[in-house]
Amino acid sequence: MNYLEAVQEISDVVPDIQNELTENKTQNSYYVIQTFTNCIKNMIRQNDRNVLFKSLDKMGKIYKNGDQLLKNAVENTFIYSLDGVMVFCSQEFRKVIFSHLSEDLLKIYAKQIYTHGT
């Protein structure tokens, strides 16, 4: 999957994001994942669980099926930003969010957290 296919996949889950993803002239994997990440952050802040869980599942599928640029964008944008948004969540909600991340995303998250600063 390339970033154009990812745009379609994301738009299927969050139709409101399609205009934002297609309006920008500098579309690339990082822009698409950053935009989707910002959307997920807003869902977490607003406790919008239904779409959030579908979006987390979609992010896992994008990571699993994406080309190397998408994988790098997910690792360096989405995974890297998780702690920053989770700081405002209750411990219980954090556990629920992590329970909806794919195994691949959890492994990357753990790797980033435990190797950060070494």
Side-chain angles (χ1 to χ4, degrees), residues 29-62:
S29 296
Y30 278 88
Y31 175 76
V32 169
I33 297 303
Q34 181 63 57
T35 303
F36 193 31
T37 297
N38 290 340
C39 185
I40 289 172
K41 286 179 184 180
N42 287 334
M43 290 176 207
I44 291 171
R45 286 185 196 111
Q46 296 169 4
N47 201 14
D48 184 0
R49 293 177 183 226
N50 289 334
V51 181
L52 171 62
F53 299 152
K54 291 176 186 173
S55 296
L56 294 173
D57 182 53
K58 186 60 69 179
M59 188 68 83
K61 288 179 180 171
I62 289 170

Side-chain angles (χ1 to χ4, degrees), residues 62-75:
I62 289 170
Y63 184 78
K64 182 177 182 174
N65 300 321
D67 61 19
Q68 194 58 50
L69 287 172
L70 275 173
K71 287 179 190 282
N72 291 342
V74 171
E75 290 177 19

Side-chain angles (χ1 to χ4, degrees), residues 1-116:
M1 171 186 318
N2 63 31
Y3 77 91
L4 292 173
E5 294 164 319
V7 167
Q8 185 56 51
E9 292 283 321
I10 294 165
S11 297
D12 289 345
V13 176
V14 187
D16 296 346
I17 202 173
Q18 186 168 11
N19 287 342
E20 190 174 349
L21 289 173
T22 55
E23 282 178 1
N24 193 309
K25 300 285 186 234
T26 58
Q27 280 190 10
N28 59 43
S29 296
Y30 278 88
Y31 175 76
V32 169
I33 297 303
Q34 181 63 57
T35 303
F36 193 31
T37 297
N38 290 340
C39 185
I40 289 172
K41 286 179 184 180
N42 287 334
M43 290 176 207
I44 291 171
R45 286 185 196 111
Q46 296 169 4
N47 201 14
D48 184 0
R49 293 177 183 226
N50 289 334
V51 181
L52 171 62
F53 299 152
K54 291 176 186 173
S55 296
L56 294 173
D57 182 53
K58 186 60 69 179
M59 188 68 83
K61 288 179 180 171
I62 289 170
Y63 184 78
K64 182 177 182 174
N65 300 321
D67 61 19
Q68 194 58 50
L69 287 172
L70 275 173
K71 287 179 190 282
N72 291 342
V74 171
E75 290 177 19
N76 295 319
T77 304
F78 174 70
I79 297 296
Y80 187 77
S81 71
L82 270 179
D83 274 349
V85 75
M86 298 283 234
V87 88
F88 302 107
C89 298
S90 69
Q91 188 71 23
E92 180 184 315
F93 191 36
R94 244 180 271 162
K95 287 179 184 178
V96 171
I97 291 169
F98 279 110
S99 74
H100 283 84
L101 291 178
S102 70
E103 271 189 52
D104 290 334
L105 293 180
L106 287 171
K107 286 178 189 175
I108 297 301
Y109 176 79
K111 182 179 174 186
Q112 258 189 25
I113 295 304
Y114 294 119
T115 60
H116 184 71

